Amino acid sequence: MESTFIILTQIITFGTAWSMFHCVLKRKKKDWFSLVGALGYLLLPYHVYVVTESVDRSQILIWMVVPILTASLIKMSDTEKMFWKTGYGLTAVLALGIIGRLDGVAALTLLFLICVGGICRRQWQYPVIGILGVAMAYPTYMTWKHWLFDGAFAESGLEYTSIMEQGYSIGGLFSTYFYRNGHPGMGILLLGCLLFLLYQSFVKGKKICAKNDHIWLGAAALLTVMSLRYFPWDFVQRMGSWALGLVTLIGTPAVFFGYAQILLCVWSIEKCGAVLQLTDRTARMREDTVKKNGEK
C-alpha cells in the first residue's frame, strides 16, 4: 500500500512539475526542456529524501501541490481574460490552503515566496492570494493558537525541543544525493546547473540575471541561511514559551533548504533554457550568414 501511494504520487508530481516548467519556460519549441525540468524537480535531493527516507506523506503531497500553486500564479499573471484569471487565482488559493492544512510552516514559507513573486512580477494579487490561501488553513493555525497561547502544548503530547543543532553545516549544503542524517545536499544536477550558469556568465560573458533575479536569489539565500546550524534559533526560542513552541513546530531548520532547492531549481532551469535558446539562435544566424556568403 505504501509503495502504491509513493508511485502514484510521484507520477502525479512529475505531471504537475511538467506543467509548472511549461508555464515558466513559455517556449513550445523547447517543450522537451520542460520534461528535463520536471525530472530535475523529482530528483532534487530533499524531495528524494522525503520520498525514500522519511516517507512523510504530508511532505510528499506538498511537493506534489507546490507546482500547481506556481503554475496557477504564473498563468494568472499572464492571462488577460478575467474569467481565466479568476479561475487560476482560485486554484492557487485552494492549493495553498491544502498545503496549509498539511503543514502550517510550509504554507507560511510559501506565503513569503508568493509575496517575493508579487514584488518581482509587480502583481498585487499575489499577496492577496497568499493571505487567502493561508486563511483557508484556518483550523491549522487555530490549533497552533491553542497550543502556543492557551498553555495546551504539553497536553497535545508534543515536547519542547531546540532545533539549532539540527541545521546544516556549510559543507553539507554541497553534498550529493545520498542521505546524510536528514540533511540532503544540493545534489549533482542542481549544482551542475548552477555551475553551468556561472561558467556562461563569467567565462562566456553572457548576461544571465535579469532585473529582478537578485531578489529571487536573495530569497533562496535567506532560506538557506535559515537552514544552517549557525542561525540563532536559540535566541528566537528565548522570546517566550510561545516562541519555543513555534520553533518546535518547525521540526528541523533543514526544511527551509528544501524550499531553497525548489526556488533554485526553477530559476536555474529557466536560465539554462534561455542560454540554450540563445545558443541555438546564434548558431542559426551563423549558418544563414555562411549560406548567404556562399551564394555570393
Side-chain angles (χ1 to χ4, degrees):
M1 193 69 178
E2 190 76 37
S3 59
T4 303
F5 170 79
I6 291 176
I7 293 171
L8 182 60
T9 53
Q10 294 318 291
I11 292 173
I12 297 173
T13 301
F14 183 83
T16 60
W18 174 86
S19 68
M20 174 178 69
F21 283 105
H22 183 73
C23 295
V24 170
L25 295 172
K26 301 176 185 176
R27 287 186 301 277
K28 294 182 180 179
K29 292 183 180 180
K30 290 289 184 184
D31 205 43
W32 63 270
F33 208 67
S34 300
L35 297 176
V36 175
L39 183 62
Y41 181 85
L42 280 183
L43 294 178
L44 282 175
Y46 204 89
H47 180 247
V48 174
Y49 163 71
V50 165
V51 174
T52 61
E53 295 292 341
S54 66
V55 196
D56 188 329
R57 291 198 172 201
S58 296
Q59 294 299 318
I60 291 173
L61 292 174
I62 287 171
W63 279 77
M64 184 177 73
V65 176
V66 164
I68 299 175
L69 171 63
T70 306
S72 299
L73 290 171
I74 294 173
K75 294 292 287 184
M76 187 201 72
S77 61
D78 292 344
T79 303
E80 294 182 359
K81 292 184 179 180
M82 187 55 65
F83 174 80
W84 291 109
K85 189 180 284 288
T86 304
Y88 288 126
L90 291 176
T91 302
V93 170
L94 179 61
L96 186 58
I98 292 172
I99 292 171
R101 292 294 289 126
L102 293 169
D103 185 345
V105 174
L108 293 177
T109 305
L110 291 170
L111 173 61
F112 163 69
L113 294 177
I114 289 171
C115 291
V116 171
I119 294 172
C120 292
R121 297 175 68 91
R122 297 182 180 180
Q123 295 286 325
W124 62 267
Q125 300 98 326
Y126 279 19
V128 175
I129 287 172
I131 292 171
L132 291 175
V134 170
M136 280 195 66
Y138 175 79
T140 297
Y141 299 110
M142 283 304 297
T143 303
W144 280 21
K145 174 187 174 297
H146 182 61
W147 287 349
L148 301 179
F149 298 103
D150 297 340
F153 199 87
E155 297 175 9
S156 65
L158 299 171
E159 295 182 1
Y160 291 116
T161 58
S162 174
I163 66 171
M164 189 169 173
E165 64 277 3
Q166 300 177 35
Y168 277 87
S169 64
I170 293 178
L173 297 174
F174 303 99
S175 64
T176 60
Y177 287 88
F178 302 107
Y179 172 70
R180 290 188 55 173
N181 193 28
H183 296 86
M186 192 174 292
I188 298 172
L189 289 179
L190 181 56
L191 187 58
C193 286
L194 294 174
L195 290 175
F196 171 76
L197 293 173
L198 286 173
Y199 173 79
Q200 292 293 324
S201 178
F202 291 100
V203 178
K204 294 290 187 177
K206 294 180 180 178
K207 184 178 179 181
I208 301 297
C209 292
K211 182 172 62 174
N212 292 320
D213 283 350
H214 66 281
I215 300 178
W216 285 115
L217 294 175
L222 175 61
L223 291 173
T224 302
V225 169
M226 291 174 67
S227 71
L228 295 173
R229 65 179 60 170
Y230 316 109
F231 190 81
W233 290 111
D234 284 355
F235 176 78
V236 176
Q237 292 173 180
R238 296 192 186 99
M239 296 174 66
S241 60
W242 65 271
L244 178 58
L246 182 61
V247 170
T248 301
L249 289 173
I250 293 174
T252 170
V255 297
F256 296 112
F257 189 53
Y259 294 105
Q261 287 185 13
I262 294 175
L263 194 54
L264 290 173
C265 175
V266 174
W267 182 83
S268 61
I269 291 293
E270 179 188 11
K271 296 304 175 183
C272 287
V275 169
L276 293 177
Q277 186 184 39
L278 181 61
T279 303
D280 290 345
R281 189 183 305 157
T282 304
R284 252 184 266 115
M285 290 174 64
R286 287 176 180 173
E287 289 177 4
D288 293 340
T289 303
V290 171
K291 287 180 181 179
K292 289 179 181 179
N293 292 335
E295 290 174 358
K296 291 179 180 180

